[in-house]
Amino acid sequence: MTTHMHNTTRTVLACALGAALLAALSVSTSVSAAGTGVAPPMRKFTLPKPAAEASFDRFIVKTRDGIASRSASPSLDAVNAAIARAGVGGITLAANNGAVLKVERVRRMAVGADVFRFSRKLTRVEADAVLAQLRIDATVQYAQPDYRKQRLDFTPNDTRFNLQWDYTHPTTGIHAPTAWDIARGAGVVVAVLDTGYLDHSDLNANIVPGYDFIADPQVAGDGDGRDADAHDPGDWIGGDPSSFHGTHVAGTVAAVGNNALGIAGVAFNARVQPVRVLGHGGGYTSDIADAITWASGGTVAGVPANATPAEVLNLSLGGYGMCSEDPATQAAVDGALSRGVTVVVAAGNSNLDAANHSPASCKGVITVGATGIDGARSYYSNFGPTVAISAPGGNASSGSDPDDRWIWSLGNSGMQAPDPSPGGDRLIGMIGTSMASPHVAGIVALMQSAAVGAGRSPLTPMQVKQVLQMTATPFTVVPPFNQSQGPGIANAAAAVLASTLPIPADSGTVIANRIATATSGAAGDAKLFKIVVPAGKASVNLRTFGGTGNVSLYVARDRVPTTASFDRSSVKPGNSETVLIANPPAGTYYLLVVGEVAFGNVSVMGVY
């Protein structure tokens, strides 16, 4: 069970998943979308926008894999040849004291490309000539200037953007303005599985048709069962007010940005698909599972096909009980993942291990914990290895300014049924992991838009999770080990930039003979390790042990195993897995540790 507080001192008890469904702890106050009332100072962390670079002395060149060369540096050969063909190398300039152009290889990048520094800056014309020659070279995969980038930080003109510390705070926000210089979510649909949506002047333009999946008339409260109208009629119980929770969540994902009104969504050029699954008293697993399937492009009997399937699903909902005991939800999630759809889920607000909540503990989802403006774990947030990443969710006990304690998004002035828009439009401050999750869903939309915009394929759900975790901002206040919430706070700017670049494959963590290495992860996470075994050993014992949860072990020599392709495996309940190989051939042995459920502090060891 969870608590919604919509407007100060007003409380609603909500949500049942079977018996109890956790949606969000939300405490709120409201202001008008137009910006009436006293607002805190605008927070802008903006550097001047530089002019386009006119000259370059550093370039990045990547040769194709497998290129044979008589020299030790095929890329240097390609650069020198391109300079000669472009007629640049022999040019001397008085401004450069007549110096002939020279080239120095600086270093090899992690993506396999080489960085070169020229002895003088090339004009734009000269640089274009050299790059043109490099790009027609059959040995070159790509070539580009080593651009000098700065923070540009697009600041939208939304009238209450000053409330959105969660986007702009330099150490505890998600760095949205910097991300917006690369992508704003265009072309991506995010499905919000929640209480439905309200007509709101700061959201209407970004809505695509959704669906109402609530079949039970008492839960639905609208008298018409499942249908194509996903509007939220209110989720009040007794005399308590409605939360209009889905509209708040949808606003964080994609409220219309730069429209001189209200606030901006994280991905304000993306589209929101409202999918109604929560009503009076919450919602049933059967409805939620069907909604996951439909929103991700699957087929649901009796429901028209989704004309605009989502690339990202946000589920700011959940209930107590492990996902291993909720196979219907896991099956729906598996289907969404198989269609390439990323599923983002709130961790829950019980201050408990998220491994005991569903869908937070389902395999393959990205489970999000909450932080406050102080950069610490919010006191209510669920935690543990299941939590993949954290994001601002607000915290009523942190922040020197009262407005800094909330996550501000869209709401309504109605007490039970909504008041008509635009008169009923409001901005509402709430707190909860329900507020953290749509920050991440919005970031995923930015990532996918950026990847496609850079000419790359959309990221897989596994790659999305990898990028979010490797680009996270460290916590200002690190949670204790037994209350972990992933590697840090989601960083939109870093994640979006990384999505435009090749994503390096996991090469594995090296483990040494007889030394245990600890690892933790969520259900479905795969952690790769490797150990080099010399020739002449009588045996090698590869094992996992200790910690919490349940892992399986897959092993292969001189190649990375998968759960479907491996040399040997150990799959038993618990964490004590062993692969013993007699007279092992010399080589690098890769160990893939896979979480059957969330696992924590599991030791990985190789002994030969």
PDB file of all heavy atoms in Angstrom, residues 323 330 333-334 337 360-367 385-386 388 461-462 465 469 520-528 550-552 554 563 592-599:
ATOM      1  N   CYS A 323       8.856 -11.097  -8.089  1.00  0.00           N
ATOM      2  CA  CYS A 323       8.384 -11.336  -9.449  1.00  0.00           C
ATOM      3  C   CYS A 323       8.412 -12.815  -9.801  1.00  0.00           C
ATOM      4  O   CYS A 323       7.661 -13.258 -10.661  1.00  0.00           O
ATOM      5  CB  CYS A 323       9.219 -10.540 -10.442  1.00  0.00           C
ATOM      6  SG  CYS A 323       8.487 -10.435 -12.086  1.00  0.00           S
ATOM      7  N   GLN A 330       6.062 -11.307 -15.404  1.00  0.00           N
ATOM      8  CA  GLN A 330       7.364 -11.587 -16.019  1.00  0.00           C
ATOM      9  C   GLN A 330       7.208 -11.978 -17.482  1.00  0.00           C
ATOM     10  O   GLN A 330       7.989 -11.547 -18.340  1.00  0.00           O
ATOM     11  CB  GLN A 330       8.085 -12.699 -15.261  1.00  0.00           C
ATOM     12  CG  GLN A 330       9.491 -12.996 -15.785  1.00  0.00           C
ATOM     13  CD  GLN A 330      10.442 -11.828 -15.590  1.00  0.00           C
ATOM     14  OE1 GLN A 330      10.812 -11.488 -14.477  1.00  0.00           O
ATOM     15  NE2 GLN A 330      10.847 -11.190 -16.686  1.00  0.00           N
ATOM     16  N   VAL A 333       6.638  -8.839 -19.453  1.00  0.00           N
ATOM     17  CA  VAL A 333       7.901  -8.103 -19.568  1.00  0.00           C
ATOM     18  C   VAL A 333       8.818  -8.776 -20.583  1.00  0.00           C
ATOM     19  O   VAL A 333       9.432  -8.113 -21.435  1.00  0.00           O
ATOM     20  CB  VAL A 333       8.590  -7.988 -18.196  1.00  0.00           C
ATOM     21  CG1 VAL A 333      10.016  -7.474 -18.349  1.00  0.00           C
ATOM     22  CG2 VAL A 333       7.798  -7.068 -17.276  1.00  0.00           C
ATOM     23  N   ASP A 334       8.914 -10.111 -20.517  1.00  0.00           N
ATOM     24  CA  ASP A 334       9.758 -10.839 -21.469  1.00  0.00           C
ATOM     25  C   ASP A 334       9.329 -10.551 -22.903  1.00  0.00           C
ATOM     26  O   ASP A 334      10.163 -10.382 -23.799  1.00  0.00           O
ATOM     27  CB  ASP A 334       9.688 -12.340 -21.201  1.00  0.00           C
ATOM     28  CG  ASP A 334      10.370 -12.751 -19.907  1.00  0.00           C
ATOM     29  OD1 ASP A 334      11.151 -11.940 -19.366  1.00  0.00           O
ATOM     30  OD2 ASP A 334      10.117 -13.874 -19.428  1.00  0.00           O
ATOM     31  N   LEU A 337      10.504  -7.040 -23.863  1.00  0.00           N
ATOM     32  CA  LEU A 337      11.943  -7.027 -24.098  1.00  0.00           C
ATOM     33  C   LEU A 337      12.288  -7.679 -25.431  1.00  0.00           C
ATOM     34  O   LEU A 337      13.176  -7.217 -26.152  1.00  0.00           O
ATOM     35  CB  LEU A 337      12.667  -7.737 -22.956  1.00  0.00           C
ATOM     36  CG  LEU A 337      12.535  -7.114 -21.561  1.00  0.00           C
ATOM     37  CD1 LEU A 337      13.183  -8.005 -20.516  1.00  0.00           C
ATOM     38  CD2 LEU A 337      13.145  -5.717 -21.523  1.00  0.00           C
ATOM     39  N   ALA A 360       9.184  -4.526  -9.751  1.00  0.00           N
ATOM     40  CA  ALA A 360      10.536  -4.015  -9.530  1.00  0.00           C
ATOM     41  C   ALA A 360      11.594  -5.109  -9.587  1.00  0.00           C
ATOM     42  O   ALA A 360      12.735  -4.857  -9.968  1.00  0.00           O
ATOM     43  CB  ALA A 360      10.608  -3.298  -8.182  1.00  0.00           C
ATOM     44  N   SER A 361      11.228  -6.351  -9.221  1.00  0.00           N
ATOM     45  CA  SER A 361      12.206  -7.436  -9.196  1.00  0.00           C
ATOM     46  C   SER A 361      12.131  -8.326 -10.424  1.00  0.00           C
ATOM     47  O   SER A 361      12.759  -9.383 -10.458  1.00  0.00           O
ATOM     48  CB  SER A 361      12.007  -8.284  -7.935  1.00  0.00           C
ATOM     49  OG  SER A 361      10.712  -8.886  -7.923  1.00  0.00           O
ATOM     50  N   CYS A 362      11.376  -7.929 -11.449  1.00  0.00           N
ATOM     51  CA  CYS A 362      11.285  -8.742 -12.660  1.00  0.00           C
ATOM     52  C   CYS A 362      12.593  -8.685 -13.449  1.00  0.00           C
ATOM     53  O   CYS A 362      13.284  -7.662 -13.470  1.00  0.00           O
ATOM     54  CB  CYS A 362      10.130  -8.279 -13.532  1.00  0.00           C
ATOM     55  SG  CYS A 362       8.502  -8.648 -12.857  1.00  0.00           S
ATOM     56  N   LYS A 363      12.917  -9.774 -14.118  1.00  0.00           N
ATOM     57  CA  LYS A 363      14.129  -9.827 -14.932  1.00  0.00           C
ATOM     58  C   LYS A 363      14.000  -8.888 -16.116  1.00  0.00           C
ATOM     59  O   LYS A 363      12.960  -8.826 -16.771  1.00  0.00           O
ATOM     60  CB  LYS A 363      14.363 -11.249 -15.448  1.00  0.00           C
ATOM     61  CG  LYS A 363      14.718 -12.262 -14.393  1.00  0.00           C
ATOM     62  CD  LYS A 363      14.962 -13.628 -15.024  1.00  0.00           C
ATOM     63  CE  LYS A 363      15.303 -14.679 -13.988  1.00  0.00           C
ATOM     64  NZ  LYS A 363      15.517 -16.011 -14.592  1.00  0.00           N
ATOM     65  N   GLY A 364      15.079  -8.155 -16.369  1.00  0.00           N
ATOM     66  CA  GLY A 364      15.153  -7.339 -17.566  1.00  0.00           C
ATOM     67  C   GLY A 364      14.641  -5.929 -17.433  1.00  0.00           C
ATOM     68  O   GLY A 364      14.848  -5.109 -18.336  1.00  0.00           O
ATOM     69  N   VAL A 365      13.931  -5.601 -16.336  1.00  0.00           N
ATOM     70  CA  VAL A 365      13.442  -4.234 -16.175  1.00  0.00           C
ATOM     71  C   VAL A 365      14.558  -3.348 -15.634  1.00  0.00           C
ATOM     72  O   VAL A 365      15.574  -3.839 -15.123  1.00  0.00           O
ATOM     73  CB  VAL A 365      12.217  -4.168 -15.240  1.00  0.00           C
ATOM     74  CG1 VAL A 365      11.109  -5.086 -15.732  1.00  0.00           C
ATOM     75  CG2 VAL A 365      12.596  -4.510 -13.808  1.00  0.00           C
ATOM     76  N   ILE A 366      14.379  -2.042 -15.758  1.00  0.00           N
ATOM     77  CA  ILE A 366      15.294  -1.078 -15.151  1.00  0.00           C
ATOM     78  C   ILE A 366      14.563  -0.477 -13.954  1.00  0.00           C
ATOM     79  O   ILE A 366      13.622   0.303 -14.110  1.00  0.00           O
ATOM     80  CB  ILE A 366      15.703   0.010 -16.149  1.00  0.00           C
ATOM     81  CG1 ILE A 366      16.492  -0.612 -17.299  1.00  0.00           C
ATOM     82  CG2 ILE A 366      16.529   1.095 -15.458  1.00  0.00           C
ATOM     83  CD1 ILE A 366      16.828   0.354 -18.413  1.00  0.00           C
ATOM     84  N   THR A 367      14.975  -0.875 -12.768  1.00  0.00           N
ATOM     85  CA  THR A 367      14.308  -0.467 -11.540  1.00  0.00           C
ATOM     86  C   THR A 367      14.979   0.788 -10.993  1.00  0.00           C
ATOM     87  O   THR A 367      16.202   0.846 -10.867  1.00  0.00           O
ATOM     88  CB  THR A 367      14.338  -1.598 -10.514  1.00  0.00           C
ATOM     89  OG1 THR A 367      13.686  -2.735 -11.082  1.00  0.00           O
ATOM     90  CG2 THR A 367      13.641  -1.212  -9.235  1.00  0.00           C
ATOM     91  N   PRO A 385      20.158  -4.725  -4.560  1.00  0.00           N
ATOM     92  CA  PRO A 385      20.762  -5.017  -5.863  1.00  0.00           C
ATOM     93  C   PRO A 385      19.783  -4.924  -7.028  1.00  0.00           C
ATOM     94  O   PRO A 385      20.190  -4.729  -8.168  1.00  0.00           O
ATOM     95  CB  PRO A 385      21.286  -6.448  -5.699  1.00  0.00           C
ATOM     96  CG  PRO A 385      21.431  -6.648  -4.234  1.00  0.00           C
ATOM     97  CD  PRO A 385      20.364  -5.818  -3.593  1.00  0.00           C
ATOM     98  N   THR A 386      18.495  -5.088  -6.742  1.00  0.00           N
ATOM     99  CA  THR A 386      17.490  -4.979  -7.794  1.00  0.00           C
ATOM    100  C   THR A 386      17.450  -3.589  -8.402  1.00  0.00           C
ATOM    101  O   THR A 386      17.112  -3.428  -9.581  1.00  0.00           O
ATOM    102  CB  THR A 386      16.104  -5.333  -7.212  1.00  0.00           C
ATOM    103  OG1 THR A 386      16.092  -6.731  -6.916  1.00  0.00           O
ATOM    104  CG2 THR A 386      14.985  -5.016  -8.168  1.00  0.00           C
ATOM    105  N   ALA A 388      18.606  -0.610 -10.310  1.00  0.00           N
ATOM    106  CA  ALA A 388      19.648  -0.441 -11.323  1.00  0.00           C
ATOM    107  C   ALA A 388      20.236   0.950 -11.329  1.00  0.00           C
ATOM    108  O   ALA A 388      21.412   1.143 -11.638  1.00  0.00           O
ATOM    109  CB  ALA A 388      19.084  -0.758 -12.703  1.00  0.00           C
ATOM    110  N   PRO A 461      17.352  -3.056 -24.875  1.00  0.00           N
ATOM    111  CA  PRO A 461      17.122  -2.811 -23.447  1.00  0.00           C
ATOM    112  C   PRO A 461      18.358  -3.067 -22.588  1.00  0.00           C
ATOM    113  O   PRO A 461      18.615  -2.325 -21.631  1.00  0.00           O
ATOM    114  CB  PRO A 461      15.983  -3.777 -23.115  1.00  0.00           C
ATOM    115  CG  PRO A 461      15.223  -3.892 -24.400  1.00  0.00           C
ATOM    116  CD  PRO A 461      16.275  -3.891 -25.463  1.00  0.00           C
ATOM    117  N   MET A 462      19.139  -4.088 -22.935  1.00  0.00           N
ATOM    118  CA  MET A 462      20.352  -4.370 -22.166  1.00  0.00           C
ATOM    119  C   MET A 462      21.377  -3.251 -22.332  1.00  0.00           C
ATOM    120  O   MET A 462      22.034  -2.830 -21.370  1.00  0.00           O
ATOM    121  CB  MET A 462      20.956  -5.707 -22.594  1.00  0.00           C
ATOM    122  CG  MET A 462      22.161  -6.132 -21.773  1.00  0.00           C
ATOM    123  SD  MET A 462      22.789  -7.774 -22.246  1.00  0.00           S
ATOM    124  CE  MET A 462      21.376  -8.791 -21.815  1.00  0.00           C
ATOM    125  N   LYS A 465      20.397  -0.145 -20.255  1.00  0.00           N
ATOM    126  CA  LYS A 465      20.766  -0.293 -18.842  1.00  0.00           C
ATOM    127  C   LYS A 465      22.265  -0.113 -18.646  1.00  0.00           C
ATOM    128  O   LYS A 465      22.714   0.563 -17.705  1.00  0.00           O
ATOM    129  CB  LYS A 465      20.317  -1.663 -18.333  1.00  0.00           C
ATOM    130  CG  LYS A 465      20.539  -1.877 -16.846  1.00  0.00           C
ATOM    131  CD  LYS A 465      19.934  -3.196 -16.406  1.00  0.00           C
ATOM    132  CE  LYS A 465      20.047  -3.407 -14.914  1.00  0.00           C
ATOM    133  NZ  LYS A 465      19.410  -4.678 -14.481  1.00  0.00           N
ATOM    134  N   GLN A 469      23.990   2.962 -16.407  1.00  0.00           N
ATOM    135  CA  GLN A 469      24.822   2.669 -15.239  1.00  0.00           C
ATOM    136  C   GLN A 469      26.243   3.183 -15.396  1.00  0.00           C
ATOM    137  O   GLN A 469      26.824   3.699 -14.444  1.00  0.00           O
ATOM    138  CB  GLN A 469      24.809   1.164 -14.966  1.00  0.00           C
ATOM    139  CG  GLN A 469      23.461   0.663 -14.478  1.00  0.00           C
ATOM    140  CD  GLN A 469      23.470  -0.810 -14.128  1.00  0.00           C
ATOM    141  OE1 GLN A 469      24.101  -1.636 -14.801  1.00  0.00           O
ATOM    142  NE2 GLN A 469      22.767  -1.170 -13.065  1.00  0.00           N
ATOM    143  N   SER A 520      27.296  -7.971  -7.429  1.00  0.00           N
ATOM    144  CA  SER A 520      25.882  -7.843  -7.107  1.00  0.00           C
ATOM    145  C   SER A 520      25.137  -7.457  -8.369  1.00  0.00           C
ATOM    146  O   SER A 520      25.724  -6.941  -9.325  1.00  0.00           O
ATOM    147  CB  SER A 520      25.654  -6.763  -6.035  1.00  0.00           C
ATOM    148  OG  SER A 520      26.346  -7.058  -4.841  1.00  0.00           O
ATOM    149  N   GLY A 521      23.836  -7.704  -8.384  1.00  0.00           N
ATOM    150  CA  GLY A 521      23.052  -7.329  -9.550  1.00  0.00           C
ATOM    151  C   GLY A 521      21.586  -7.632  -9.376  1.00  0.00           C
ATOM    152  O   GLY A 521      21.160  -8.224  -8.374  1.00  0.00           O
ATOM    153  N   ALA A 522      20.813  -7.236 -10.364  1.00  0.00           N
ATOM    154  CA  ALA A 522      19.372  -7.461 -10.370  1.00  0.00           C
ATOM    155  C   ALA A 522      19.049  -8.784 -11.030  1.00  0.00           C
ATOM    156  O   ALA A 522      19.913  -9.427 -11.647  1.00  0.00           O
ATOM    157  CB  ALA A 522      18.676  -6.322 -11.111  1.00  0.00           C
ATOM    158  N   ALA A 523      17.811  -9.199 -10.906  1.00  0.00           N
ATOM    159  CA  ALA A 523      17.360 -10.387 -11.606  1.00  0.00           C
ATOM    160  C   ALA A 523      17.584 -10.209 -13.099  1.00  0.00           C
ATOM    161  O   ALA A 523      17.217  -9.189 -13.677  1.00  0.00           O
ATOM    162  CB  ALA A 523      15.888 -10.642 -11.318  1.00  0.00           C
ATOM    163  N   GLY A 524      18.228 -11.202 -13.713  1.00  0.00           N
ATOM    164  CA  GLY A 524      18.507 -11.130 -15.138  1.00  0.00           C
ATOM    165  C   GLY A 524      19.824 -10.488 -15.494  1.00  0.00           C
ATOM    166  O   GLY A 524      20.276 -10.596 -16.640  1.00  0.00           O
ATOM    167  N   ASP A 525      20.478  -9.812 -14.552  1.00  0.00           N
ATOM    168  CA  ASP A 525      21.777  -9.215 -14.838  1.00  0.00           C
ATOM    169  C   ASP A 525      22.812 -10.296 -15.084  1.00  0.00           C
ATOM    170  O   ASP A 525      22.823 -11.340 -14.417  1.00  0.00           O
ATOM    171  CB  ASP A 525      22.237  -8.335 -13.679  1.00  0.00           C
ATOM    172  CG  ASP A 525      21.631  -6.955 -13.713  1.00  0.00           C
ATOM    173  OD1 ASP A 525      20.799  -6.699 -14.595  1.00  0.00           O
ATOM    174  OD2 ASP A 525      21.978  -6.131 -12.852  1.00  0.00           O
ATOM    175  N   ALA A 526      23.704 -10.042 -16.030  1.00  0.00           N
ATOM    176  CA  ALA A 526      24.791 -10.966 -16.346  1.00  0.00           C
ATOM    177  C   ALA A 526      26.118 -10.256 -16.111  1.00  0.00           C
ATOM    178  O   ALA A 526      26.392  -9.224 -16.713  1.00  0.00           O
ATOM    179  CB  ALA A 526      24.690 -11.448 -17.786  1.00  0.00           C
ATOM    180  N   LYS A 527      26.940 -10.794 -15.225  1.00  0.00           N
ATOM    181  CA  LYS A 527      28.241 -10.215 -14.897  1.00  0.00           C
ATOM    182  C   LYS A 527      29.341 -11.127 -15.444  1.00  0.00           C
ATOM    183  O   LYS A 527      29.342 -12.337 -15.185  1.00  0.00           O
ATOM    184  CB  LYS A 527      28.392 -10.077 -13.382  1.00  0.00           C
ATOM    185  CG  LYS A 527      27.268  -9.287 -12.712  1.00  0.00           C
ATOM    186  CD  LYS A 527      27.313  -7.816 -13.066  1.00  0.00           C
ATOM    187  CE  LYS A 527      26.288  -7.035 -12.250  1.00  0.00           C
ATOM    188  NZ  LYS A 527      26.361  -5.594 -12.502  1.00  0.00           N
ATOM    189  N   LEU A 528      30.268 -10.535 -16.212  1.00  0.00           N
ATOM    190  CA  LEU A 528      31.289 -11.316 -16.898  1.00  0.00           C
ATOM    191  C   LEU A 528      32.641 -11.179 -16.201  1.00  0.00           C
ATOM    192  O   LEU A 528      33.079 -10.066 -15.885  1.00  0.00           O
ATOM    193  CB  LEU A 528      31.408 -10.847 -18.351  1.00  0.00           C
ATOM    194  CG  LEU A 528      32.355 -11.645 -19.256  1.00  0.00           C
ATOM    195  CD1 LEU A 528      31.859 -13.073 -19.438  1.00  0.00           C
ATOM    196  CD2 LEU A 528      32.501 -10.952 -20.610  1.00  0.00           C
ATOM    197  N   ASN A 550      20.273 -15.717  -5.861  1.00  0.00           N
ATOM    198  CA  ASN A 550      20.399 -16.974  -6.599  1.00  0.00           C
ATOM    199  C   ASN A 550      21.023 -16.676  -7.948  1.00  0.00           C
ATOM    200  O   ASN A 550      20.466 -15.919  -8.740  1.00  0.00           O
ATOM    201  CB  ASN A 550      19.022 -17.625  -6.775  1.00  0.00           C
ATOM    202  CG  ASN A 550      19.091 -18.918  -7.572  1.00  0.00           C
ATOM    203  OD1 ASN A 550      20.137 -19.506  -7.745  1.00  0.00           O
ATOM    204  ND2 ASN A 550      17.949 -19.350  -8.077  1.00  0.00           N
ATOM    205  N   VAL A 551      22.216 -17.250  -8.214  1.00  0.00           N
ATOM    206  CA  VAL A 551      22.897 -17.040  -9.491  1.00  0.00           C
ATOM    207  C   VAL A 551      23.161 -18.385 -10.163  1.00  0.00           C
ATOM    208  O   VAL A 551      23.163 -19.440  -9.518  1.00  0.00           O
ATOM    209  CB  VAL A 551      24.237 -16.288  -9.320  1.00  0.00           C
ATOM    210  CG1 VAL A 551      24.017 -14.927  -8.683  1.00  0.00           C
ATOM    211  CG2 VAL A 551      25.240 -17.104  -8.514  1.00  0.00           C
ATOM    212  N   SER A 552      23.380 -18.324 -11.463  1.00  0.00           N
ATOM    213  CA  SER A 552      23.842 -19.475 -12.247  1.00  0.00           C
ATOM    214  C   SER A 552      25.171 -19.103 -12.886  1.00  0.00           C
ATOM    215  O   SER A 552      25.485 -17.923 -13.063  1.00  0.00           O
ATOM    216  CB  SER A 552      22.814 -19.848 -13.319  1.00  0.00           C
ATOM    217  OG  SER A 552      21.605 -20.255 -12.733  1.00  0.00           O
ATOM    218  N   TYR A 554      27.947 -19.844 -16.091  1.00  0.00           N
ATOM    219  CA  TYR A 554      28.194 -20.363 -17.437  1.00  0.00           C
ATOM    220  C   TYR A 554      29.654 -20.075 -17.789  1.00  0.00           C
ATOM    221  O   TYR A 554      30.130 -18.954 -17.577  1.00  0.00           O
ATOM    222  CB  TYR A 554      27.266 -19.717 -18.451  1.00  0.00           C
ATOM    223  CG  TYR A 554      25.802 -19.934 -18.133  1.00  0.00           C
ATOM    224  CD1 TYR A 554      25.124 -19.064 -17.264  1.00  0.00           C
ATOM    225  CD2 TYR A 554      25.102 -20.994 -18.681  1.00  0.00           C
ATOM    226  CE1 TYR A 554      23.791 -19.271 -16.948  1.00  0.00           C
ATOM    227  CE2 TYR A 554      23.762 -21.200 -18.372  1.00  0.00           C
ATOM    228  CZ  TYR A 554      23.113 -20.327 -17.503  1.00  0.00           C
ATOM    229  OH  TYR A 554      21.791 -20.535 -17.191  1.00  0.00           O
ATOM    230  N   THR A 563      23.874 -17.657 -22.015  1.00  0.00           N
ATOM    231  CA  THR A 563      23.054 -18.689 -21.377  1.00  0.00           C
ATOM    232  C   THR A 563      22.637 -19.765 -22.377  1.00  0.00           C
ATOM    233  O   THR A 563      22.163 -20.824 -21.979  1.00  0.00           O
ATOM    234  CB  THR A 563      21.803 -18.066 -20.740  1.00  0.00           C
ATOM    235  OG1 THR A 563      21.086 -17.340 -21.753  1.00  0.00           O
ATOM    236  CG2 THR A 563      22.191 -17.113 -19.614  1.00  0.00           C
ATOM    237  N   LEU A 592      30.376 -16.324 -16.815  1.00  0.00           N
ATOM    238  CA  LEU A 592      29.191 -15.485 -16.870  1.00  0.00           C
ATOM    239  C   LEU A 592      28.303 -15.828 -15.688  1.00  0.00           C
ATOM    240  O   LEU A 592      27.781 -16.939 -15.592  1.00  0.00           O
ATOM    241  CB  LEU A 592      28.438 -15.701 -18.184  1.00  0.00           C
ATOM    242  CG  LEU A 592      27.300 -14.712 -18.470  1.00  0.00           C
ATOM    243  CD1 LEU A 592      27.874 -13.321 -18.772  1.00  0.00           C
ATOM    244  CD2 LEU A 592      26.438 -15.196 -19.627  1.00  0.00           C
ATOM    245  N   VAL A 593      28.165 -14.863 -14.769  1.00  0.00           N
ATOM    246  CA  VAL A 593      27.342 -15.040 -13.577  1.00  0.00           C
ATOM    247  C   VAL A 593      26.003 -14.349 -13.841  1.00  0.00           C
ATOM    248  O   VAL A 593      25.962 -13.139 -14.064  1.00  0.00           O
ATOM    249  CB  VAL A 593      28.028 -14.450 -12.335  1.00  0.00           C
ATOM    250  CG1 VAL A 593      27.151 -14.610 -11.102  1.00  0.00           C
ATOM    251  CG2 VAL A 593      29.392 -15.107 -12.120  1.00  0.00           C
ATOM    252  N   VAL A 594      24.924 -15.119 -13.823  1.00  0.00           N
ATOM    253  CA  VAL A 594      23.603 -14.603 -14.189  1.00  0.00           C
ATOM    254  C   VAL A 594      22.673 -14.674 -12.985  1.00  0.00           C
ATOM    255  O   VAL A 594      22.555 -15.734 -12.344  1.00  0.00           O
ATOM    256  CB  VAL A 594      23.003 -15.405 -15.366  1.00  0.00           C
ATOM    257  CG1 VAL A 594      21.603 -14.882 -15.711  1.00  0.00           C
ATOM    258  CG2 VAL A 594      23.915 -15.327 -16.580  1.00  0.00           C
ATOM    259  N   GLY A 595      22.014 -13.570 -12.680  1.00  0.00           N
ATOM    260  CA  GLY A 595      21.092 -13.537 -11.554  1.00  0.00           C
ATOM    261  C   GLY A 595      19.743 -14.139 -11.917  1.00  0.00           C
ATOM    262  O   GLY A 595      19.040 -13.618 -12.773  1.00  0.00           O
ATOM    263  N   GLU A 596      19.398 -15.235 -11.283  1.00  0.00           N
ATOM    264  CA  GLU A 596      18.049 -15.786 -11.444  1.00  0.00           C
ATOM    265  C   GLU A 596      17.049 -14.918 -10.688  1.00  0.00           C
ATOM    266  O   GLU A 596      15.895 -14.782 -11.099  1.00  0.00           O
ATOM    267  CB  GLU A 596      18.002 -17.232 -10.948  1.00  0.00           C
ATOM    268  CG  GLU A 596      18.989 -18.171 -11.642  1.00  0.00           C
ATOM    269  CD  GLU A 596      18.743 -18.259 -13.140  1.00  0.00           C
ATOM    270  OE1 GLU A 596      17.589 -18.051 -13.570  1.00  0.00           O
ATOM    271  OE2 GLU A 596      19.707 -18.510 -13.886  1.00  0.00           O
ATOM    272  N   VAL A 597      17.500 -14.360  -9.569  1.00  0.00           N
ATOM    273  CA  VAL A 597      16.798 -13.296  -8.846  1.00  0.00           C
ATOM    274  C   VAL A 597      17.874 -12.268  -8.505  1.00  0.00           C
ATOM    275  O   VAL A 597      19.039 -12.434  -8.848  1.00  0.00           O
ATOM    276  CB  VAL A 597      16.102 -13.828  -7.569  1.00  0.00           C
ATOM    277  CG1 VAL A 597      15.057 -14.877  -7.922  1.00  0.00           C
ATOM    278  CG2 VAL A 597      17.109 -14.403  -6.585  1.00  0.00           C
ATOM    279  N   ALA A 598      17.496 -11.192  -7.837  1.00  0.00           N
ATOM    280  CA  ALA A 598      18.500 -10.220  -7.421  1.00  0.00           C
ATOM    281  C   ALA A 598      19.530 -10.889  -6.521  1.00  0.00           C
ATOM    282  O   ALA A 598      19.194 -11.757  -5.707  1.00  0.00           O
ATOM    283  CB  ALA A 598      17.833  -9.059  -6.691  1.00  0.00           C
ATOM    284  N   PHE A 599      20.792 -10.493  -6.671  1.00  0.00           N
ATOM    285  CA  PHE A 599      21.857 -11.105  -5.877  1.00  0.00           C
ATOM    286  C   PHE A 599      22.790 -10.022  -5.355  1.00  0.00           C
ATOM    287  O   PHE A 599      22.980  -8.983  -5.987  1.00  0.00           O
ATOM    288  CB  PHE A 599      22.637 -12.135  -6.703  1.00  0.00           C
ATOM    289  CG  PHE A 599      23.244 -11.596  -7.972  1.00  0.00           C
ATOM    290  CD1 PHE A 599      24.581 -11.220  -8.039  1.00  0.00           C
ATOM    291  CD2 PHE A 599      22.470 -11.455  -9.122  1.00  0.00           C
ATOM    292  CE1 PHE A 599      25.135 -10.733  -9.211  1.00  0.00           C
ATOM    293  CE2 PHE A 599      23.011 -10.952 -10.306  1.00  0.00           C
ATOM    294  CZ  PHE A 599      24.350 -10.595 -10.346  1.00  0.00           C
TER     295      PHE A 599
END
